[in-house]
Amino acid sequence: MTSSSPPPNDPAAGTERGQHRGADAVSPRGGLGFGGAVGALILVWLSLTPSLLPRGPLFQGVVTGAAAAIGYGLGLAAAALLGWVLQRRLGPAPAILRWGLVVVAAVGSVAVLAWYAEWQSELRTLMGVGGLPWHAYPIIVAIAAVVFLVLLVLARLCAAMSRGVGGLLGRVLPRRVAALLGGVVVAVVAIAALNGVVAEVAMSVLNTTFEAVNDENSADTPEPVVPERSGGPGSLVSWDSHGRQGRIFVANGPTAADLTAFNGTPAREPIRVYTGLNSAEDIRAEADLAVAELRRAGGFDRAVLGVATTTGTGWINESTAGALEYLANGDSALVSMQYSFLPSWLSFVVDQERARQAGQALFEAVHAAWDTLPADQRPKLVVFGESLGSFGGEAAFSSVQDMAARTDGALFVGPTATNPVWRDATARRDPGSPQWLPIYRDGHTVRFIADAPDLARPGTPWTGSRVVYLQHASDPITWWTPQLLFQKPDWLDEQRGPDVLSSTRWIPVVTFLQVSADMAVSIDVPDGHGHAFRADIADAWAAILSPADWTGSDTERLRAVLRGE
């Protein structure tokens, strides 16, 4: 009698059973949950290690919850790999191991939270920030638990969908091939949805929301009554088209009376020109309108002409703009334009190209008009920007040398790690200088500073056009890159900055999460730390512009003004 089944001792049967055992070893069933719990616990502890800035309970909870989810997934993967290597199905962990994990988790978590409180206190004292209240700790735990559960549910939903697709494919394909393809199909569909429909809907909602914010008017930003300001008498730009941040920029700043009182000599009314995103049909047209408005206001007849690139919403640091006007005693003109409704951090993620286009278009339009003037009648031409504005401000230049050749100076504050000129100069820094405060070509053209005394580094002659990058060792905006996921940065491998704790260590994935969260609180620290820049801007502009009869005591008085004293 014939049979379709092989004899019990047939080698083929053994091979088939071995294949089934291997399949069980990579199954999500059995004792893999224990491995996930171990992985989650380890990454929870690591997420509470020192980072760049003090974090409140909200963002620490988000970081810890995300780390727990990633650790859980890594733990499951490690346990599955172990089962595959042993070629046997892993059963539930023994009770003694489970209870042992509970005890270790309880004792270890108390110890790690105590260390967290210690380094938080040390960092907060260093930066002059108030301490965490006792109730911050249960809030951290609660937020972390919610974030972890949400991410776990999403992951299990994706896994269930993968198994479903794999089951359908298993009707025509080998089981393992079908399971693998099921995961690939779900991943591809999810990514396509996020990049397509979801992204489009999300961006539409965000643009609509922030456009409404952009249109808001405030009693603190009255319409100008002087012709030196865009939106004022004779202006080519309507007041309503400026946008919220444009109206703030134009309506504020020192007046001629303020400048006269500060400098002791009669001052001119500073010129501030600004075009909003709704003032022209595209970026090029907006830049051309800005130049026409600048010419109308008499900007090319001033001693100093500053081209500013904004952040996403159109924001300009008042300290940077006002300090230049104090140094020029009002004999200045500032011009800028808006290119997005989105906040800087969001523009940084999704809209960098518009920042680059806007910075390049505005400078080239202004430079073309400036270049037609007789050489002895041109104002000093300087460029500046902060954060994403520094990225856009660099866009018109290929290098530090190009910047120096086509301007009389530049000030870029809190640069991002994506700034091409900054990145190139930092990568090619002189040997022995750290990444957080590099020296480039003996400092002949560009100086990197964290505070005012750094302008004297390295002590070599500083002639011609001067370029300054003002950056802090503790600024996550400058040091955040995707490479933090799996690559140790030089700023944690070399000599540390003065406000970066010696206990801060690079941890794969975790440091990326920590610095990402730090970006959200980067301005919630005193001046001189994180992404807060005010007083040192006075010293930077004084070095770049070198106005006649300006003294060190004048700089100190201006520093006090910028600090609001």
Side-chain angles (χ1 to χ4, degrees):
M1 182 176 66
T2 60
S3 171
S4 60
S5 300
N9 57 353
D10 191 326
T15 301
E16 184 177 350
R17 286 193 294 269
Q19 289 173 345
H20 282 291
R21 285 197 298 270
D24 287 340
V26 296
S27 170
R29 298 172 297 175
L32 301 186
F34 180 81
V38 172
L41 180 62
I42 291 173
L43 260 72
V44 163
W45 289 348
L46 292 176
S47 74
L48 295 166
T49 57
S51 185
L52 289 177
L53 296 176
R55 285 193 299 274
L58 172 60
F59 290 102
Q60 183 58 63
V62 170
V63 169
T64 299
I70 293 171
Y72 187 79
L74 292 175
L76 291 180
L81 179 61
L82 178 61
W84 180 80
V85 169
L86 297 177
Q87 285 294 295
R88 67 184 182 84
R89 179 178 174 181
L90 298 180
I96 188 171
L97 285 182
R98 295 198 302 271
W99 281 107
L101 180 62
V102 171
V103 173
V104 170
V107 175
S109 296
V110 170
V112 170
L113 281 172
W115 183 38
Y116 172 79
E118 182 180 346
W119 73 256
Q120 279 273 335
S121 177
E122 180 184 357
L123 188 58
R124 288 169 179 272
T125 300
L126 176 64
M127 295 187 176
V129 180
L132 279 178
W134 68 267
H135 55 76
Y137 297 94
I139 294 176
I140 290 173
V141 174
I143 293 176
V146 170
V147 171
F148 171 72
L149 289 175
V150 169
L151 294 177
L152 184 62
V153 168
L154 290 175
R156 288 184 171 175
L157 178 62
C158 290
M161 293 172 63
S162 298
R163 288 194 296 272
V165 174
L168 293 175
L169 295 175
R171 297 175 181 177
V172 293
L173 294 172
R175 185 173 61 165
R176 289 190 176 185
V177 174
L180 177 62
L181 287 180
V184 171
V185 168
V186 170
V188 170
V189 171
I191 293 172
L194 289 173
N195 287 336
V197 177
V198 175
E200 185 176 341
V201 171
M203 288 303 301
S204 176
V205 171
L206 288 170
N207 272 310
T208 301
T209 301
F210 289 112
E211 185 174 6
V213 174
N214 182 70
D215 292 336
E216 291 178 357
N217 278 293
S218 171
D220 296 331
T221 55
E223 189 171 340
V225 294
V226 294
E228 289 85 0
R229 303 292 172 111
S230 290
S235 176
L236 304 177
V237 185
S238 71
W239 182 240
D240 290 338
S241 71
H242 276 68
R244 180 172 177 269
Q245 292 296 341
R247 288 189 285 270
I248 291 173
F249 171 68
V250 171
N252 287 286
T255 64
D258 297 327
L259 298 172
T260 298
F262 180 87
N263 288 302
T265 57
R268 300 184 71 177
E269 187 68 35
I271 293 173
R272 290 195 176 190
V273 166
Y274 192 97
T275 55
L277 192 57
N278 293 325
S279 62
E281 59 184 10
D282 57 36
I283 285 177
R284 288 287 177 184
E286 190 180 346
D288 290 339
L289 177 60
V291 171
E293 173 70 355
L294 186 63
R295 185 178 284 111
R296 191 274 315 165
F300 291 102
D301 299 324
R302 295 300 176 98
V304 180
L305 171 56
V307 181
T309 304
T310 72
T311 63
T313 56
W315 176 82
I316 295 173
N317 187 342
E318 178 56 38
S319 294
T320 313
L324 184 152
E325 292 167 334
Y326 274 101
L327 279 147
N329 202 26
D331 196 5
S332 61
L334 304 181
V335 57
S336 190
M337 57 184 267
Q338 183 186 24
Y339 56 84
S340 175
F341 298 130
L342 303 178
S344 184
W345 67 269
L346 192 54
S347 293
F348 177 74
V349 174
V350 302
D351 216 11
Q352 286 190 35
E353 180 59 21
R354 286 188 63 84
R356 187 193 65 78
Q357 291 175 356
Q360 184 175 21
L362 181 60
F363 177 79
E364 289 180 349
V366 172
H367 185 269
W370 174 86
D371 200 38
T372 63
L373 301 174
D376 60 348
Q377 296 179 24
R378 294 171 183 165
K380 278 190 175 182
L381 181 61
V382 296
V383 294
F384 63 96
E386 180 169 330
S387 192
L388 189 60
S390 72
F391 171 84
E394 279 191 0
F397 311 101
S398 60
S399 65
V400 168
Q401 290 71 33
D402 182 34
M403 200 180 296
R406 294 199 288 153
T407 73
D408 295 295
L411 173 58
F412 294 123
V413 178
T416 74
T418 59
N419 285 30
V421 176
W422 174 91
R423 189 173 61 241
D424 179 68
T426 299
R428 298 165 60 191
R429 61 190 180 276
D430 295 351
S433 62
Q435 185 184 31
W436 70 272
L437 198 63
I439 295 173
Y440 178 71
R441 295 190 176 183
D442 288 328
H444 288 303
T445 301
V446 61
R447 299 281 168 99
F448 294 82
I449 70 170
D451 52 30
D454 294 327
L455 287 163
R457 291 172 76 249
T460 53
W462 197 13
T463 58
S465 178
R466 296 181 174 185
V467 178
V468 174
Y469 283 96
L470 174 55
Q471 58 193 51
H472 295 148
S474 58
D475 186 0
I477 303 297
T478 296
W479 309 119
W480 183 92
T481 67
Q483 285 74 28
L484 280 174
L485 278 165
F486 304 111
Q487 181 178 332
K488 185 177 183 179
D490 288 348
W491 52 271
L492 280 177
D493 195 37
E494 302 170 335
Q495 172 194 348
R496 300 288 177 89
D499 54 355
V500 177
L501 297 180
S502 59
S503 54
T504 302
R505 294 288 182 270
W506 175 75
I507 304 169
V509 179
V510 173
T511 298
F512 173 82
L513 293 175
Q514 290 176 326
V515 176
S516 298
D518 286 340
M519 287 199 296
V521 295
S522 61
I523 61 173
D524 299 335
V525 289
D527 183 28
H529 303 288
H531 200 63
F533 301 93
R534 285 187 290 277
D536 289 326
I537 290 171
D539 301 81
W541 272 133
I544 293 167
L545 297 174
S546 299
D549 302 323
W550 186 269
T551 66
S553 62
D554 294 327
T555 301
E556 286 302 317
R557 292 191 300 117
L558 181 53
R559 288 176 63 90
V561 170
L562 299 184
R563 287 193 298 259
E565 298 175 358

